[in-house]
Amino acid sequence: MARSSGGPAAVAELRSGQRSRAMLLLRALVDIASAHPALPGPLPPPRDAWHLLVRAERRSPAAVDRLLLHPPVGVWLNRCLRRLRGLEPGDGPLWSAVGHLHAVAASAALLAGIDFRGAVPVRDGGVILPALGFARLPDRADVAEVVMTDRKAAVVSGPYAVTLPADFAEEAPGWHGLRRLRGEHRGIVCSPYVDDIDPYRDFLRIRGPQRLTDKERQGWQERFDSAWRLVAQQREVDPRGIGACLSSVVPVPYVAWPEPFSASSPEAYGCVLLGGATDPLTLAAALVHEAQHIKLSALMDLVPLIEQGLEEIHYAPWRLDPRPLRGLFQGVYAFAGVTGFWQDRLRRVGSGPAGDTAAFEFALRRAQTSSGLRTLLDHAELTPMGEEFLHRLEERLAQWLARPVPSVPGRLAADLIEDHRMVHRMRHLRPDPGRLAQWARAWRERSEPPRELPGTSVRPTRTEALTRPALARLRLRDPEGFARLREGGGAGSPDGGDAPDRADLDQAAPDRADLDRADLDRADLDRADLDWVAGDTTAALRRYRGRVAADPDDIAAWAGLALSLPGGPARTALLSHPELVLAVHREVRTAPGTGPDPVALARWIGARTGR
């Protein structure tokens, strides 16, 4: 996996491990639920569902495998076990949540084609049959029955019955089948579900069915088909392995401006959450990225690669918030895959805007991956397998780092790496108060800076989206559009959205960075950022000075100031110790507009730190 990114044979091993894991969790749930005093409620005992699953597996092992590896089943299993153990609050009656087991067993029996009759819970106006579809029921009953006789199936509630079609994916009166997307290029196929019905499809929160219209589904199909063509063309990350591990795509309403939202979770093997419409190239990169997460999560269930590493104190060059080493491990592997995708893309598209865009993304992602990899090798408690894995990845990355890229995309990528790191340090690192006071006193007294730098501690705070990376992408992808934007400036704010809770996001992997033109049109753009991206550092420096004067706590402006400065002590201080420059500025100013000149202060600090 470290060298070839996981082909079909590797993914088959991972799937086998995930099946075993799911079976263990399922058996644990049956045992715990069978002894729980509040269960089974109006449903049969949990062991009845277990026995039905055993019958289905004897007839058709593939049918049970399909259910055990269905991503929402994994989400439900983990949520339900945490709830039974008192580790998670409930959503609805406990008997209904645990009773979802009967729906899982019913789906397996239907796929296996065995005759049975079984009770299942009703929720959201119907019965969900995982991996099959949703039967809408007009009455208010809490329990319905699923019946299979002579290969004819129905969901029955009192006088109402929904007859299931022979092909469960088809539509029928009262029945919404679980549909698929399909991408194919040169015989390489990817056909995940597009899940809009299962209550556990979104691993960040439970939500009822939200059926896509025919037009919406067609839009997803067209974008997916175009994106899959791009995935299948590249050869750096085995596209057959990607196709084998992507089980479901879930449209979600989350807005993670200015980044298109995508996420995956170890609890939902094979599932990718995607927010909103995006262009095929961005979608292709997202599919590669999330497939890497999915594969690594499954591998780490089988082979320990890292010990501990749960403290959120480390810098991740693709996120502004501090991350644990385990999260850093995930990000390194995911962005190694994205780096490979863009390297192949660069080789294919040549010069022009497409080539500049690919060169920029390639240069940016390889630098981010290299930085994260170095942090892991320096700080992580790796197992022998983990060390071997990362060193093999390091060998692959070394080949990419040696490849030259054009000057403008390369310069933008390198500067944006510095930009991101400076903003992170100013946002989350706090110098030691005692040492900081010495530096502030030395400035006030116009004396030499202290000989020792203040130590720092990590104090996570709220982060903000950066506009400069998005503008850099626009300049490279659409030079004429960027020129028009710079000529007219820009104003506005991003639309609101149904954003997931921060704690939920931290469990997933929404760590990509992209921005399309529509987002840019809504962004709150600043002339200084436009000037800097255009390469006019003189104008940018003047405007960033103005921003800092108007708001001395504008962290993005401080970073822009550093990027716009010529080489010298001031730039060196801001690049190396931006948190110290900002902290001293805060310490010595008495009111807005009364602080020292930021460049003069940085130059003074740089005279000491640059020695």
Side-chain angles (χ1 to χ4, degrees), residues 181 194 212 215-226 249-252 273-278 283:
L181 300 173
V194 55
L212 296 174
K215 182 178 180 180
E216 289 170 335
R217 179 174 176 271
Q218 183 60 31
W220 276 100
Q221 172 57 43
E222 291 172 357
R223 290 189 297 276
F224 184 83
D225 183 61
S226 299
V249 169
V250 179
V252 291
L273 306 186
L274 291 171
T278 186
L283 178 55

Side-chain angles (χ1 to χ4, degrees), residues 189-372:
V189 177
C190 183
S191 186
Y193 294 117
V194 55
D195 196 340
D196 52 5
I197 55 174
D198 197 297
Y200 297 99
R201 66 189 183 278
D202 178 354
F203 49 77
L204 297 177
R205 62 177 58 166
I206 297 174
R207 58 175 74 246
Q210 294 174 308
R211 194 66 164 171
L212 296 174
T213 66
D214 290 341
K215 182 178 180 180
E216 289 170 335
R217 179 174 176 271
Q218 183 60 31
W220 276 100
Q221 172 57 43
E222 291 172 357
R223 290 189 297 276
F224 184 83
D225 183 61
S226 299
W228 183 250
R229 180 179 298 272
L230 297 173
V231 173
Q233 285 174 353
Q234 59 83 41
R235 289 296 180 268
E236 292 295 326
V237 183
D238 193 326
R240 297 168 301 161
I242 296 175
C245 78
L246 291 181
S247 301
S248 69
V249 169
V250 179
V252 291
Y254 305 142
V255 175
W257 191 91
E259 303 171 3
F261 179 87
S262 71
S264 52
S265 168
E267 296 184 355
Y269 175 78
C271 173
V272 176
L273 306 186
L274 291 171
T278 186
D279 64 276
L281 191 58
T282 302
L283 178 55
L287 293 176
V288 173
H289 179 101
E290 300 303 343
Q292 294 289 92
H293 278 308
I294 290 165
K295 288 181 287 186
L296 183 60
S297 293
L299 178 66
M300 292 174 79
D301 280 339
L302 294 173
V303 181
L305 300 178
I306 182 173
E307 306 288 354
Q308 306 303 319
L310 300 176
E311 302 85 2
E312 298 192 5
I313 59 174
H314 295 277
Y315 171 60
W318 46 81
R319 288 180 62 142
L320 284 174
D321 52 332
R323 298 292 290 154
L325 286 169
R326 285 182 176 271
L328 204 60
F329 204 122
Q330 278 281 354
V332 163
Y333 190 63
F335 279 106
V338 175
T339 301
F341 172 82
W342 285 112
Q343 191 274 341
D344 187 271
R345 182 76 180 161
L346 175 60
R347 179 177 61 84
R348 291 175 181 276
V349 298
S351 59
D356 286 344
T357 296
F360 169 80
E361 298 291 354
F362 171 62
L364 181 69
R365 300 314 187 188
R366 72 181 180 181
Q368 292 173 327
T369 305
S370 179
S371 173

Side-chain angles (χ1 to χ4, degrees), residues 469-526:
L471 292 173
R473 288 183 170 92
L474 179 61
R475 176 191 171 182
L476 298 171
R477 185 184 300 177
D478 182 7
E480 293 182 0
F482 176 78
R484 290 193 300 271
L485 189 65
R486 188 183 179 211
E487 181 180 352
S493 60
D495 294 341
D498 181 13
D501 295 336
R502 174 62 180 275
D504 291 333
L505 287 177
D506 285 345
Q507 297 176 9
D511 45 14
R512 299 182 56 254
D514 244 319
L515 184 65
D516 62 23
R517 179 60 194 275
D519 288 327
L520 278 172
D521 290 341
R522 299 196 305 268
D524 183 10
L525 302 177
D526 184 88

Side-chain angles (χ1 to χ4, degrees), residues 135 170 211 239 256 383 392 396 436 461 474 521 524 531 552 590:
E170 293 182 354
R211 194 66 164 171
T383 66
R392 290 188 181 187
R396 191 177 184 213
L436 178 61
T461 60
L474 179 61
D521 290 341
D524 183 10
D531 289 338
T590 57

